[in-house]
Structure formats: structure tokens, C-alpha cells
Amino acid sequence: AVVSKISAAVVAMLLAVAACTSGSGGTEAADPTQDASEPRGGTLRVAVPDFWVDGVELDPQRAYGGPGWELDRCCLFRTLYSYNGRSTEEGGGQLRPDLAVGSPEVSPDGLSWTFRLRQGLRFAPPFEDTPITALDLVRALERTARVSSPAVGYGFYYEAIRGFGDYAAGEADSIVGLETPDDRTLVVRLDQVTGDLAYRFSLPATSPIPQGAADGHDAD
């Protein structure tokens, strides 16, 4: 096995892969990232470089590198935006809404971004009865701030968010630049213009975490 042992926290979050279902009747809604002609299920075998070590590459807040990010994108986590996994010629470099509804709304000064989540989103087992909300995205960014360091993770991608650094330093109880006016809306307020913010919300560090899944596991 590539990874022989994964911490309980990572297992919990791997199980929390976002599954899209409709808001009524429990039937599955169409997934814009899934081609209906492509088969589902089966076995995936992944060849990885020899520098792949331990379970760090499977921890969305700690993994920092192409191989881990691609495995996270194609198999394990869902984010506001994503890619189709194909070549650049086939649109692989084009950012596409995944959990989000369309493009974000950006204020004229570029310092306020509003993201809206699709309806009917739920986590995968064992959280299949848990809807995905904007607070789950906040929870992911808070964990990113807590566990990132110069040696691990990539919290510096989100330091433009107002209050991110204060929370990371333990000087605040929350990230003041993250607001959730309702369950399906995330407002991000920045200290400086960051034109590629939507791209940063395609990285696994921003994949939603259900309440309780990672409690007590920041250190492992």
C-alpha cells in the first residue's frame, strides 16, 4: 500500500467527500462535473513518485504538491471550484464551478467576494445525512490557519483574508473576514486585492469539513 496508516482525522475527512443530492425525495441530482457517458465505480490504481510519504499528502490542509492535489481533486474532496481532469487542449486549465453556483460576485474594489453553494449538497458516509453549508468551508479555512506552518501546508495562500493571520497566531477566536449570512452563502473580505481567489478555492485546503470530523486532530 502507498500509505499504510492514516490518522483518524484524515480518515474522517476522507469519508466526508461531498456528495451531491437533490433537496427533495433523496434522489441524486445531476453533477455538472460528471459526464453521463462515463462509467462510475470500479477500482483506481495510482502510481506515485517515490517522494510520497506517510499520510500527509492525504490531509487536505497539509498536502502541498501536484500529486496529492490531483488525487484529492479526482477522488477524495470537493471544492467550490474544480477542473475536468483533462488536458489543457480539452479545457483542463479552465476553472469550473463544482460546489459553487456559477462565478463569485466580486465588489468593485475587489475586496469582497461572495460565493454561493448549490442546493442539495450532502457529505458522503458516514455523514450522508449532513448538508454541506458555508460554515463547513469556514471550518476548513480555520483548520488551514491552525495547522499550516512554514514547513507544512499552504496557509499563506489565504493570508489576504481579513483576520486570517490573527486567527493563525491565536490572537482571535475566528477569522473576521469570513461571513456566512445564510447556509449557502460565504462572503470573503480581503485586506488586499487577490484576483485569483476563486482558483485558491479549488485547492483541497478549502474542501468543506463536517462539524466534529477533525476535532482534536490538528497535531496528527
Side-chain angles (χ1 to χ4, degrees), residues 112-171:
S112 179
W113 292 58
T114 300
F115 302 91
R116 303 191 190 282
L117 276 70
R118 293 165 51 199
Q119 287 185 324
L121 297 171
R122 296 182 184 275
F123 289 97
F127 298 97
E128 64 269 30
D129 296 327
T130 303
I132 297 173
T133 70
L135 279 174
D136 299 317
L137 297 168
V138 172
R139 191 173 293 112
L141 285 165
E142 288 178 342
R143 185 171 189 265
T144 297
R146 292 195 307 271
V147 306
S148 293
S149 69
V152 178
Y154 48 103
F156 52 87
Y157 279 13
Y158 306 98
E159 289 178 349
I161 299 174
R162 189 174 303 164
F164 186 91
D166 291 338
Y167 180 83
E171 298 172 359

Side-chain angles (χ1 to χ4, degrees), residues 20-62:
C20 298
T21 60
S22 70
S24 61
T27 56
E28 187 172 358
D31 185 341
T33 65
Q34 176 73 35
D35 186 337
S37 65
E38 295 178 353
R40 290 173 175 262
T43 300
L44 174 69
R45 292 183 174 86
V46 182
V48 298
D50 59 6
F51 60 78
W52 184 298
V53 293
D54 300 324
V56 172
E57 292 291 344
L58 300 180
D59 184 328
Q61 275 74 45
R62 288 188 169 90

Side-chain angles (χ1 to χ4, degrees), residues 197-210:
L197 188 65
Y199 288 86
R200 302 185 190 203
F201 274 88
S202 72
L203 297 173
T206 65
S207 58
I209 299 176

Side-chain angles (χ1 to χ4, degrees), residues 71-109:
L71 183 62
D72 290 343
R73 183 205 64 78
C74 74
C75 306
L76 302 176
F77 302 110
R78 301 288 290 275
T79 46
L80 286 176
Y81 298 93
S82 190
Y83 304 89
N84 65 13
R86 297 174 177 153
S87 67
T88 302
E89 291 76 13
E90 297 175 296
Q94 178 182 346
L95 193 68
R96 302 167 186 270
D98 188 0
L99 301 182
V101 176
S103 301
E105 301 169 14
V106 185
S107 63
D109 63 5

